[in-house]
Amino acid sequence: MEFIPVNEPLLSGNEKKYLNECIDTGWISSEGPFVNEFEKKFAAYCGRKYGVAVCNGTAALEAAMISLDLKKDDEVIMPSFTIISCASAIIRAGGTPVLTDSDPHTWNMNPDEVRKKITSRTKAIMAVHIYGLPVDMDPVLKIADEYGLKVIEDAAELIGQTYKGKMCGSFGNVSTFSFYPNKHITTGEGGMILTDDAVTAEKCRSLRNLCFKPGKRFVHDELGYNFRMTNLQAALGVAQFEQIDNFMEKKKYIGRRYTEELKEIDCIQIPLEETDYSRNIYWVYGILLKKEAGMNSEEIMKILADRKIGTRPFFYPMHKQPVFKKAGLFNNEEYPVSDYLGDYGFYIPSGLGVTDEQINRVSEQLKEILK
Ligand SMILES: *Cc1c(COP(=O)(O)O)cnc(C)c1O
């Protein structure tokens, strides 16, 4: 029996053709024409004015945060249940991350909890869409409006999703994306910043490219980074982007199939099919073990690995990260929903390359283990 990987990308469109074009023309660096084309197409798709392509999603978050000009002790509210890139971007931009707990049904940041964390030092809110459903954005935007806060939207996991009919990645001051191979479209490694504000876009462009001074190269008024995306990556991005509608359909199909198979298992919580603002697009198919299952995610993932099925644990919450404990952050703070998600959640093979046969095998094994 062959091992079923947790993710396999689909590279069956014009990827090879466009990569060959890069090699035939010699345009392989960030100066090549695919970078601009990818930025324009992706920004238009999400309904934004400006796109700035970068080398990965973590870099996108970092440049976006720095573009907000945080001062020391400025606070940014974010979910505890997310990837470390969100917290590290805030810290490296000079701010302080302030955590909130998640909603137990959607696994996303709970806007009521955001409101409780507002102080006189709060400068921004970072909304991170998790797994398949977006953050409930209206209350978040309302809080931001009331207190004059900036909003950063990390839409890495929800390329192509909508909130009340509006594209994810079009909310707030600045949005960020990742094109890692498990994301809806991939460039191998890659990321993007989107914004409607010309000044923010220009700042991010400058930060991406070492803050070279326009007209006076090798003179620098600020410290930047080399966060540039290459033409090779962007060539993949343009080819992948052409297939986005099919990819979205496939993700929804995978989610529907797993839900049909797994809804009969009582001791698990499967992803919500919809909320009043969105239908799930199943970036990954997450499963949360209930207490009655009698095991945690680590235990079931080991059993599944023995049965040749790849899985990943859910995020490990930020308030429990050793690196932040050492720095004296989040001491004695409690986020019970995030804790539970971190201990009892995992996701099953749900990449674009997954086959019907694989979905059936994963479902059968889960039923056998959990019924
Ligand atoms: C994948 C991901 C990132 C990081 O992207 P990289 O390209 O791996 O750096 C950031 N935020 C979220 C929510 C992600 O899922």
Side-chain angles (χ1 to χ4, degrees), residues 56-59 61 82-83 85-86 128-129 154 156-157 178-180 183 189-190 283 315:
N56 57 61
T58 303
L61 275 164
T82 183
I83 191 166
S85 313
C86 300
V128 188
H129 307 305
D154 181 353
E157 302 183 357
S178 161
F179 306 116
Y180 188 70
K183 303 291 156 71
E189 300 285 351
W283 168 59
F315 293 125

Side-chain angles (χ1 to χ4, degrees), residues 11 32 50 80 89 146 175 183 212 248 275 277 288 332-333 342:
L11 302 166
Y50 308 101
S80 183
E146 253 174 71
S175 316
K183 303 291 156 71
F212 283 124
M248 302 297 299
T275 61
Y277 45 79
L288 191 60
N332 305 316
E333 295 181 18

